[in-house]
Amino acid sequence: MQTPFDLDNTTVYLRWRDHKLAHAITDTNELVVEINDPRALTASEHAALLERCRRSNMVIYASRTGNVDEDMVRQFGSQFGLNSLDANWLADEDGITRVTVSAEEGQRQAYIPYTNRAIKWHTDGYYNPPDRQIRSFVLHCVQSAGQGGENRLMDHEIAYLMLRDSNIDFIRALSAPDAMTIPERTDEDGVARVAQSGPVFSVDPASGSLHMRYTARTRSIVWKQDAATQKAVAALEMLLASDLPHIHRMRLEPGMGLLCNNVLHDRAEFSDDPDRPRLLYRARYYERIADTSSRI
Ligand SMILES: [Fe+2]
């Protein structure tokens, strides 16, 4: 299978690169598609959503649905071939997580997603084992924060492209199987999760599509201690701190949602309106969005 992400095939890479840059969305308004009911998309709504995902691995939908539940998210995802939910240990039983500030004491409080703090650039599930990689997710906003809580979003294929253009050794270093290690996590019962080493960039052998694992966190992550990796990580950090038009900034409002092939994203800190706390539903999947393989 020919893939543009093969470091030894410059011809295919360059062809893909030209196509990607010509079609990638740089105007955030163009990422947004208005839809009626996420549970039952019309053919033209579905086509418009898929078109954005093919170009930029993500789309933001703005729906008119007021009454939503976990089922809505599941029905929305299945229209894009997304059915294998990652049931992480904090997800509710059906694998869809309510992301909201947790008032309870306990495990949830120890994790930034369930606080109102900022979350640095990352892809979801970067700490998951290789057989449970998150290739796509849906984030649906039921209630936005009183203030703040914006997201920045960047297509991970564009991040790859920019890094490869500036120095192919950055990609080589970030593709090493020991580039990034998540140390073991322990709780009072002992080791709750074993250490996970893996690459930042990897290519799915079946589809040829690019997968990215990344976090800008400096705690709970250990980078390979060689010059090549350090330089590559610094270059990626600089890229994410830049004001490239490929970095989108937006805030999900009630009824809006993000569907993406696990692109790079962050979250600004926020403060809740006590009567209407921020609430998002999040569904993470092992599949990529159907029909979005990188075309060459
Ligand atoms: Fe995330």
Side-chain angles (χ1 to χ4, degrees):
M1 135 108 31
Q2 282 208 329
T3 162
F5 311 112
D6 178 351
L7 292 177
D8 298 324
N9 198 335
T10 307
T11 313
V12 172
Y13 170 69
L14 291 176
R15 201 188 320 147
W16 169 82
R17 178 189 179 280
D18 285 352
H19 185 269
K20 182 81 190 177
L21 287 176
H23 294 88
I25 297 170
T26 51
D27 173 357
T28 305
N29 294 324
E30 226 185 305
L31 269 187
V32 183
V33 173
E34 289 192 12
I35 62 171
N36 190 23
D37 183 357
R39 279 169 281 234
L41 298 167
T42 65
S44 65
E45 288 172 344
H46 187 276
L49 292 164
L50 188 59
E51 191 253 359
R52 270 52 165 204
C53 293
R54 283 186 168 165
R55 291 165 63 192
S56 285
N57 282 309
M58 64 182 125
V59 65
I60 293 155
Y61 61 84
S63 75
R64 283 186 253 275
T65 308
N67 224 345
V68 290
D69 54 16
E70 284 91 337
D71 259 352
M72 183 238 96
V73 177
R74 191 179 305 103
Q75 287 170 26
F76 175 74
S78 70
Q79 293 166 86
F80 295 92
L82 306 178
N83 296 302
S84 307
L85 282 161
D86 178 45
N88 84 52
W89 62 294
L90 288 175
D92 297 330
E93 268 177 36
D94 61 2
I96 295 176
T97 307
R98 290 167 62 92
V99 181
T100 192
V101 174
S102 179
E104 325 147 21
E105 294 292 313
Q107 285 178 314
R108 272 187 172 236
Q109 270 250 314
Y111 291 87
I112 300 175
Y114 310 105
T115 70
N116 60 357
R117 300 210 295 275
I119 307 176
K120 292 183 178 181
W121 282 106
H122 66 283
T123 58
D124 273 14
Y126 59 83
Y127 39 75
N128 274 19
D131 59 331
R132 286 181 39 218
Q133 291 298 300
I134 305 300
R135 296 195 179 80
S136 64
F137 67 84
V138 175
L139 200 57
H140 180 91
C141 177
V142 179
Q143 180 60 56
S144 50
Q147 274 196 318
E150 299 87 1
N151 294 107
R152 283 187 297 175
L153 305 163
M154 186 185 196
D155 182 352
H156 59 296
E157 289 182 1
I158 291 287
Y160 174 100
L161 184 156
M162 300 280 172
L163 287 175
R164 182 159 169 176
D165 278 4
S166 51
N167 188 341
I168 199 166
D169 287 340
F170 293 158
I171 305 295
R172 251 180 217 119
L174 295 176
S175 303
D178 57 351
M180 170 181 168
T181 300
I182 315 298
E184 69 178 22
R185 187 186 67 215
T186 54
D187 59 20
E188 55 265 35
D189 300 325
V191 175
R193 183 178 65 205
V194 296
Q196 283 299 334
S197 281
V200 172
F201 291 119
S202 58
V203 181
D204 177 39
S207 66
S209 54
L210 182 74
H211 181 61
M212 184 174 191
R213 294 165 66 244
Y214 177 69
T215 176
R217 291 188 74 176
T218 47
R219 285 179 55 200
S220 311
I221 160 105
V222 181
W223 291 102
K224 188 172 168 185
Q225 292 298 308
D226 67 342
T229 309
Q230 303 289 319
K231 280 186 199 161
V233 171
L236 178 54
E237 282 171 4
M238 266 184 56
L239 185 64
L240 292 170
S242 73
D243 54 3
L244 268 179
H246 300 90
I247 297 179
H248 301 283
R249 250 170 233 273
M250 49 84 51
R251 191 173 108 130
L252 294 176
E253 299 297 345
M256 293 172 73
L258 167 68
L259 162 70
C260 71
N261 282 323
N262 201 0
V263 296
L264 288 154
H265 57 288
D266 74 354
R267 182 189 77 189
E269 66 177 335
F270 63 89
S271 58
D272 266 337
D273 175 344
D275 296 331
R276 290 186 301 168
R278 186 179 191 264
L279 171 63
L280 301 165
Y281 286 125
R282 186 187 61 206
R284 292 168 164 169
Y285 300 94
Y286 301 138
E287 299 103 346
R288 268 174 72 90
I289 301 164
D291 301 322
T292 59
S293 287
S294 314
R295 285 168 299 173
I296 42 176

